[in-house]
Amino acid sequence: MRAVALLLMLALVALSETAIQDDWSNGGGVFGPVTSWEESFLYASPSLNTVGGCLQLDLLTLVEHAVDIGFGTPRSMRGLDMDFDGDIDILAGGGMTYVEDVAWWENMDGAGEYWIKHGIGGIYGSSGANSVCPVDFDGDGDIDVVGASQEGFWMHWWENDGSMEPIWTEHNIVLGSLGVNSVVADDIDGDGDPDLVSAAFHADDISWWENTDGSGTNLLKHVVANGYDGASNATISDIDGDGDMDVAAAGWYEEKISWWENSDTSMGIYWTEHIIRENFDLALCVLSTDVDLDGDTDIVGGSYGSDGLIWLENADGSGTVWIEHTISQQFTSVISMQACDMDDDGDPDLLTAGFYMDEFSWWENTDGAGLNWSKHIVDDSFTRVSAVAYGDFDGDADMDVAAGSLTRNDILWWDVDHDHNTSGYLLSSILDAGYVAEWNGMQASSALCP
């Protein structure tokens, strides 16, 4: 295989320095001139990746496919096999019709070329469904759907009857206050059935809803936190490693990310707040995943304001010592993000939408430790992206991405292929030699890799 290694030699009067730039894959690198050999160069497609000590041309191609043209204001999306036929479908919430604000699109051919929309139900609220959550809520083996609106006085869950063409039965969950921005599901009390956790933006509370009999028809509300100003997003995971489920959340007006310890041996009655990050500007998005692959749960935060993307390392595995790492302070107005292994290298990457940036990107966890990230723009022409999802939509065994646009009212997906090539081009920054160098003061040489 032909690859390229670049050797830059700087001829100085009293000093000669040699270095090999061996990481051209970092799209998150700095614009030139860079001043240190350790800094990442800015890549242009095709990019170069280190392979066996050599640099291999890696052409990233993305092909756009339509799922639905005209689905109003998608706000929440998931890729999953809704009908258990072996391919990946799409579940989404949005709209303002109150009829089909929540729907799923059947991947008819398994290749993502032909989709059929199936309406599930509607949610009252001027922004439609802010959040949708697929879960087997009644324990009958099929996928039900929970949905919430920031403006409504109810959450809803729709019971799937399990037929080939599902009939959905709506169940209302009375909130007692206005609006839920985010709803997620997991077993909070350790009784073997899924419960719900909600973040209520206007009511400023984070609650969990106990599925008391496992059928989803008898729910008991428990408050995790009151007065968490502008509770915008929640995630469930075992943060302290004690075997029960804890809750982490972001607060828009609170401007912080916290986690709550399920401190009564998995029963979910008593909760202790631990603040992870304060002064996090307009904290909107939060998710939990093991970013650095050390076996514990870390937290990723997205700011709608000026603090961009960060991840918080659970340094001691118990949630008491956190180390903050910046992914990008320039990637702002984060409205949606998900963790997934985009490049099939075994570590979690990030899929993100920056609403006012008009940028839809995925972030490569290049070293598997979360210390170096490469930004890959999926589509800079798909503006006002409001929801993102992932899945192998074409059945070719690699990860693809999907997104919905608030301004275009469309849902699209992109086939992401990584093809190794023997030819291509690249653009780079040049190391600042510390003086006005003439071209004959630097040399570039190439070498063949085996």
Side-chain angles (χ1 to χ4, degrees):
M1 181 176 290
R2 180 181 175 84
V4 180
L6 298 183
L7 180 61
L8 301 180
M9 292 172 287
L10 305 183
L12 303 179
V13 174
L15 175 66
S16 177
E17 183 179 10
T18 300
I20 297 176
Q21 172 60 28
D22 65 356
D23 184 6
W24 289 83
S25 64
N26 273 10
V30 300
F31 288 95
V34 294
T35 57
S36 168
W37 291 115
E38 286 73 34
E39 288 186 287
S40 302
F41 285 28
L42 183 74
Y43 90 102
S45 182
S47 62
L48 289 177
N49 293 312
T50 304
V51 177
C54 296
L55 296 181
Q56 176 178 278
L57 286 172
D58 185 16
L59 180 61
L60 179 66
T61 58
L62 298 105
V63 181
E64 177 186 304
H65 304 266
V67 177
D68 193 318
I69 305 301
F71 180 72
T73 55
R75 299 295 299 274
S76 179
M77 291 176 56
R78 295 287 294 272
L80 74 164
D81 187 0
M82 285 287 295
D83 50 4
F84 300 113
D85 65 350
D87 54 42
I88 302 300
D89 310 300
I90 290 176
L91 171 69
M96 293 178 287
T97 66
Y98 317 134
V99 178
E100 291 185 351
D101 291 347
V102 177
W104 72 281
W105 287 260
E106 185 178 357
N107 189 349
M108 295 298 295
D109 59 0
E113 298 292 345
Y114 179 36
W115 301 81
I116 290 183
K117 176 185 175 182
H118 303 276
I120 295 176
I123 294 182
Y124 179 80
S126 62
S127 64
N130 288 84
S131 181
V132 292
C133 173
V135 58
D136 182 8
F137 206 35
D138 53 5
D140 64 353
D142 53 40
I143 298 175
D144 308 304
V145 176
V146 183
S149 169
Q150 189 171 296
E151 286 82 16
F153 287 92
W154 303 272
M155 285 192 296
H156 306 275
W157 77 274
W158 291 272
E159 180 182 351
N160 184 347
D161 71 349
S163 62
M164 291 294 292
E165 295 291 334
I167 297 173
W168 301 89
T169 302
E170 180 178 293
H171 302 268
N172 296 329
I173 304 170
V174 179
L175 298 175
S177 59
L178 180 63
V180 163
N181 198 60
S182 163
V183 59
V184 288
D186 212 320
D187 185 5
I188 295 294
D189 52 3
D191 64 353
D193 56 45
D195 308 298
L196 302 177
V197 170
S198 62
F201 186 86
H202 295 296
D204 302 329
D205 81 7
I206 297 160
S207 300
W208 76 277
W209 303 77
E210 182 182 355
N211 189 356
T212 57
D213 61 0
S215 70
T217 56
N218 294 289
L219 298 178
L220 180 62
K221 179 180 179 180
H222 304 273
V223 175
V224 176
N226 262 324
Y228 200 71
D229 201 0
S232 56
N233 204 240
T235 182
I236 305 170
S237 57
D238 182 8
I239 293 175
D240 52 4
D242 64 352
D244 56 39
M245 290 294 106
D246 308 301
V247 173
W252 176 278
Y253 297 115
E254 196 79 18
E255 295 200 330
K256 66 184 180 184
I257 297 173
S258 302
W259 76 276
W260 287 264
E261 180 183 352
N262 189 350
S263 54
D264 60 333
T265 318
S266 80
M267 294 302 293
I269 306 302
Y270 302 104
W271 298 85
T272 303
E273 181 183 1
H274 303 271
I275 298 172
I276 307 176
R277 171 61 148 86
E278 295 185 279
N279 301 314
F280 193 57
D281 188 26
L282 302 181
L284 181 59
C285 295
V286 66
L287 62 82
S288 52
T289 187
D290 185 4
V291 173
D292 52 3
L293 301 180
D294 64 351
D296 55 39
T297 301
D298 307 302
I299 299 294
V300 181
S303 163
Y304 202 73
S306 60
D307 285 322
L309 277 172
I310 65 170
W311 75 276
L312 300 146
E313 179 184 353
N314 190 350
D316 61 355
S318 68
T320 56
V321 179
W322 297 88
I323 299 173
E324 180 176 331
H325 303 273
T326 298
I327 300 172
S328 174
Q329 196 168 11
Q330 287 71 47
F331 193 87
T332 58
S333 62
V334 182
I335 196 171
S336 180
M337 65 184 188
Q338 295 197 31
C340 55
D341 185 3
M342 282 293 302
D343 50 4
D344 196 30
D345 63 353
D347 56 47
D349 308 302
L350 289 176
L351 183 63
T352 59
F355 186 71
Y356 283 112
M357 291 186 67
D358 286 332
E359 190 168 306
F360 173 31
S361 301
W362 72 274
W363 301 79
E364 181 184 354
N365 186 353
T366 56
D367 58 4
L371 301 180
N372 295 285
W373 297 84
S374 300
K375 182 175 73 172
H376 304 273
I377 296 175
V378 176
D379 190 335
D380 57 6
S381 66
F382 196 57
T383 59
R384 296 295 189 269
V385 172
S386 52
V388 298
Y390 63 90
D392 181 9
F393 300 117
D394 54 3
D396 65 353
D398 60 27
M399 199 62 71
D400 307 307
V401 296
S405 166
L406 189 67
T407 53
R408 287 178 48 173
N409 293 333
D410 297 339
I411 296 176
L412 307 179
W413 75 273
W414 289 260
D415 179 12
V416 182
D417 287 323
H418 296 266
D419 297 319
H420 298 304
N421 295 271
T422 59
S423 63
Y425 71 94
L426 63 89
L427 302 175
S428 78
S429 303
I430 299 297
L431 186 75
D432 186 352
Y435 69 107
V436 179
E438 297 180 2
W439 285 110
N440 60 7
M442 295 185 181
Q443 285 184 317
S445 64
S446 63
L448 293 180
C449 294

